[in-house]
């Protein structure tokens, strides 16, 4: 037997079971119970303060809602037990069972439209803070790795082909820079959206003498939103967290892709801890990088969740439409994915082994100092760059014939191509010298990498 619905004054007969199934959001929106109770407490307190309900009713509501909160956290009440259609109805129904008429007064000057907009926004704000805390942990771990490897050479690549020597700290700082931007995006969304929807009622405000500033500040918002019609129709805050997560997951995915490559036998530049590797069901020798693969894979659902909600919202007339109930599951999923991904990535990076010798060995392949030889010919001998470019091409061919890297050619061999080359060229062709020569601002030279590390460290320290 289904319990009595509390929001169907004009509906005389029992709803179709299929309608109930389609309409029921309680299995997922129960996630919002804490936000719902907090919002109701702030609303009821304001109603009493403005004389819209009595002080006595507020006392009962306050006690009742706190009791419900305790029942939920202790597990003594199953939210779904009363078969209401969503979290808002479930809590109001429970409250009314407990305290009678006072419970029925709670919804004065409020609609589920502003109620759900409030609950969901509070949730998104709370999770945004949690994600930024995890992002700053990740950045700290990356900084630690980078600080230890500002002299560890590896081939920087374009097109996945060896290009120029860089240091591993510099490579890691590229990712730290992406995560800094992600952090800033979450923060700016938080600040933009820190406005209270409560008191917007169904769409047009309310004739009751409410005080939206009072509830906004009680709930930790900077102010109430400007326009009620917009507020009950608006899910930009949800789209923002979805976009912020999708972009962050794209960064996590690119790093994961590199970790997968680097841990392969072809590269052998890192080794994931056995705590973070998985085996194969048939090949006994295997250790697979399932974690970075899953992180790369989970980026797909983060993108999907963003596109889903953009699509849900695109054709909706003002104000609330039930389509908007489809806003929650994707956000819950993206938030869960983001938090788990950040935590496991941080742990895995902190425990992986970096195989410095293998990275440095890889720099002996691919003539990484070719550009530096061309620069030498230009600077030292005044040869036009395009001519120097061709001379270096011939030098690379010679190195290939001898089966060595350009940095391993003898002075005589170099001079056989360009007789004016002098001994100082040998210092220039050395990969470490090449790396340290790139000392323009933001470049890879060890001193520049250290500056970047310091800059990000002090940015992190100055947060809040
Ligand atoms: N469960 C609904 C949702 O998540 C709550 C808002 C219902 N409002 C309404 N007018 N039916 O969107």
């Amino acid at each position: 037997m289904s319990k009595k619905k509390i929001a169907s004054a004009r509906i005389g007969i029992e709803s179709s079971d299929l309608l109930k199934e389609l309409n029921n959001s309680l299995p997922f929106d129960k996630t919002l119970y804490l936000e719902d109770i907090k919002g109701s407490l702030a609303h009821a307190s304001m109603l009493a303060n403005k004389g819209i309900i009595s002080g006595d009713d507020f006392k009962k509501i306050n006690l009742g809602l706190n009791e419900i909160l305790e029942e939920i956290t202790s597990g003594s009440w199953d939210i779904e037990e009363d078969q209401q259609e969503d979290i808002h109805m479930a809590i109001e129904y429970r409250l009314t069972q407990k305290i009678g008429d006072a419970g029925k007064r709670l919804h004065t000057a409020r609609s589920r439209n502003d109620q759900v907009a409030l609950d969901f926004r509070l949730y998104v704000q709370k999770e945004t803070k949690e994600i930024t805390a995890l992002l700053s942990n990740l950045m700290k771990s990356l900084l630690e790795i980078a600080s230890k490897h500002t002299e560890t050479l590896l081939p920087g690549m374009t097109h996945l082909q060896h290009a120029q020597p860089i240091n591993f700290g510099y490579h890691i700082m590229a990712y730290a820079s992406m995560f800094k931007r992600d952090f800033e995006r979450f923060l700016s969304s938080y600040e933009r959206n820190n406005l209270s929807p409560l008191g917007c009622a169904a769409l047009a405000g309310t004739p009751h003498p409410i005080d939206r500033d009072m509830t906004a500040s009680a709930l930790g918002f900077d102010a109430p939103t400007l326009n009620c019609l917009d507020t009950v129709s608006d899910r930009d805050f949800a789209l923002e967290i979805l976009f912020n997560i999708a972009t962050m997951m794209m960064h996590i995915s690119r790093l994961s892709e590199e970790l997968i490559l680097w841990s392969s036998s072809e590269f052998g530049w890192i080794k994931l801890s056995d705590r973070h590797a998985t085996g194969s069901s048939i090949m006994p020798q295997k250790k697979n990088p399932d974690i970075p693969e899953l992180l790369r894979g989970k980026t797909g659902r983060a993108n999907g969740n963003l596109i889903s909600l953009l699509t849900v919202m695109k054709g909706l007339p003002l104000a609330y439409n039930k389509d908007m109930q489809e806003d929650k599951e994707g956000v819950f999923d993206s938030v869960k994915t983001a938090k788990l991904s950040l935590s496991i990535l941080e742990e895995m990076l902190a425990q992986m082994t970096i195989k410095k010798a293998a990275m440095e060995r890889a720099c002996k392949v691919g003539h990484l100092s070719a550009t530096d030889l061309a620069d030498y010919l230009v600077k030292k001998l005044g040869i036009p760059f395009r001519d120097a470019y061709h001379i270096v091409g011939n030098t690379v061919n010679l190195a290939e014939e001898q089966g060595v890297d350009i940095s391993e050619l003898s002075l005589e061999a170099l001079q056989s191509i360009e007789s004016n080359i002098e001994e100082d060229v040998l210092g220039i062709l050395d990969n470490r010298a090449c790396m340290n020569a790139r000392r323009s601002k933001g470049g890879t030279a060890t001193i520049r990498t250290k500056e970047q590390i310091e800059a990000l460290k002090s940015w992190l320290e100055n947060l809040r």
Side-chain angles (χ1 to χ4, degrees):
M1 256 297 273
S2 86
K3 301 281 165 86
K4 190 174 169 345
K5 284 177 73 176
I6 53 176
S8 54
R10 295 193 63 241
I11 298 166
I13 57 167
E14 177 88 354
S15 302
S16 145
D17 283 344
L18 291 174
L19 179 148
K20 285 186 202 157
E21 190 182 336
L22 181 69
N23 194 31
N24 182 11
S25 58
L26 195 47
F28 54 87
D29 69 15
K30 63 184 180 188
T31 305
L32 300 175
Y33 74 86
L34 186 60
E35 286 74 18
D36 197 73
I37 290 174
K38 274 189 189 167
S40 288
L41 284 170
H43 181 65
S45 155
M46 179 278 295
L47 290 178
N49 194 284
K50 303 305 286 180
I52 301 168
I53 61 170
S54 70
D56 194 42
D57 280 344
F58 171 62
K59 265 189 214 140
K60 289 184 189 149
I61 291 173
N62 188 16
L63 270 173
L65 286 173
N66 277 301
E67 229 175 87
I68 292 173
L69 181 58
E70 149 58 30
E71 286 174 354
I72 298 172
T73 45
S74 70
S76 66
W77 173 53
D78 170 10
I79 300 179
E80 293 188 59
E81 173 184 301
D82 299 316
Q83 297 175 27
Q84 295 297 321
E85 68 178 48
D86 61 24
I87 184 63
H88 324 293
M89 289 302 170
I91 290 177
E92 189 183 325
Y93 183 78
R94 184 77 178 166
L95 183 69
T96 305
Q97 277 182 325
K98 282 179 181 293
I99 64 171
D101 279 356
K104 295 187 197 159
R105 294 206 171 91
L106 171 62
H107 212 53
T108 314
R110 186 175 74 169
S111 153
R112 263 190 301 165
N113 299 348
D114 61 337
Q115 189 177 0
V116 71
L118 169 70
D119 294 3
F120 198 27
R121 195 181 288 233
L122 283 171
Y123 166 86
V124 165
Q125 294 293 81
K126 175 182 81 183
E127 296 296 346
T128 298
K129 283 280 169 198
E130 288 191 16
I131 291 171
T132 53
L134 293 170
L135 263 171
S136 75
N137 287 346
L138 175 62
M139 280 186 275
K140 281 180 201 150
S141 270
L142 290 172
L143 281 169
E144 203 155 298
I145 298 171
S147 313
K148 289 186 194 139
H149 290 280
T150 56
E151 318 236 7
T152 306
L153 288 177
L154 84 163
M157 305 205 192
T158 62
H159 312 269
L160 203 58
Q161 306 285 328
H162 290 201
Q164 293 177 345
I166 58 175
N167 70 72
F168 189 58
Y170 181 68
H171 198 118
I172 288 296
M173 285 306 292
Y175 284 103
S177 307
M178 297 176 215
F179 293 125
K180 173 178 182 274
R181 283 198 298 280
D182 291 330
F183 187 104
E184 290 168 331
R185 248 188 303 273
F186 281 108
L187 198 65
S188 102
S189 293
Y190 183 94
E191 284 164 3
R192 183 173 28 266
N193 294 314
N194 204 34
L195 302 171
S196 172
L198 189 56
C200 281
L203 71 161
T206 168
H208 292 284
I210 61 168
D211 184 342
R212 292 189 63 207
D213 292 281
M214 186 184 286
T215 47
S217 85
L219 290 165
F221 289 110
D222 299 328
T225 55
L226 185 65
N227 174 287
C228 294
L229 184 61
D230 168 44
T231 304
V232 291
S233 318
D234 170 31
R235 291 296 180 270
D236 292 2
F237 61 94
L239 287 165
E240 283 189 36
I241 197 172
L242 289 173
F243 174 78
N244 295 342
I245 290 173
T247 305
M248 180 188 82
M249 288 302 297
M250 176 269 289
H251 294 148
I252 290 178
S253 183
R254 293 182 75 175
L255 174 54
S256 296
E257 167 65 12
E258 298 215 276
L259 294 173
I260 294 163
L261 284 173
W262 295 346
S263 63
S264 68
S265 353
E266 282 67 24
F267 280 79
W269 292 358
I270 59 162
K271 188 178 167 298
L272 297 178
S273 150
D274 280 356
R275 292 190 64 217
H276 299 127
T278 46
S280 151
S281 61
I282 176 169
M283 296 168 280
Q285 83 284 15
K286 293 286 301 270
K287 276 187 191 168
N288 294 328
D290 286 23
I291 294 176
E293 287 171 352
L294 281 165
L295 297 182
R296 192 177 56 183
K298 281 185 187 292
T299 304
R301 64 164 75 206
N303 292 350
N305 292 333
L306 170 62
I307 298 300
S308 291
L309 187 55
L310 280 170
T311 311
V312 166
M313 296 305 293
K314 72 177 259 300
L316 299 185
L318 304 185
Y320 179 85
N321 300 269
K322 199 62 178 257
D323 315 44
M324 289 160 74
Q325 183 165 283
E326 289 295 307
D327 59 0
K328 292 174 203 66
E329 286 160 290
V331 171
F332 295 158
D333 180 67
S334 280
V335 163
K336 183 173 156 223
T337 302
K339 286 162 73 177
L340 181 59
S341 301
L342 284 167
S343 305
I344 199 157
L345 178 61
E346 197 263 323
E347 188 182 285
M348 183 175 65
L349 289 170
Q351 295 178 26
M352 74 183 181
T353 309
I354 292 152
K355 293 155 92 182
K356 193 171 161 172
M359 287 184 184
E360 300 202 339
R361 228 175 7 256
C363 292
K364 291 276 171 226
V365 180
H367 315 289
L368 297 178
S369 43
T371 318
D372 296 76
L373 178 58
D375 288 339
Y376 170 88
L377 298 174
V378 169
K379 270 201 260 172
K380 167 115 183 176
L381 305 180
I383 297 176
F385 179 78
R386 195 47 70 202
D387 294 338
Y389 174 92
H390 287 293
I391 294 170
V392 176
N394 293 334
T395 316
V396 168
N397 288 338
L398 178 66
E400 294 271 303
E401 276 164 31
Q402 296 190 5
V404 295
D405 184 72
I406 197 175
S407 61
E408 295 166 323
L409 283 173
S410 67
L411 182 59
E412 296 67 42
L414 291 162
Q415 285 168 338
S416 74
I417 306 255
E418 169 50 61
S419 57
N420 291 322
I421 288 179
E422 290 175 21
E423 194 166 359
D424 58 352
V425 77
L426 299 176
I428 284 187
L429 290 181
D430 171 66
N431 280 320
R432 188 168 304 279
C434 293
M435 184 270 284
N436 278 318
R438 286 175 171 69
R439 44 174 72 221
S440 53
K441 200 166 186 136
T444 188
T446 297
I447 50 160
R448 293 289 173 247
T449 303
K450 284 184 175 162
E451 274 173 17
Q452 294 159 35
I453 293 172
E454 282 320 305
L456 188 61
K457 263 191 195 156
S458 70
W459 178 82
L460 266 173
E461 275 158 20
N462 288 330
L463 284 171
R464 274 176 302 269

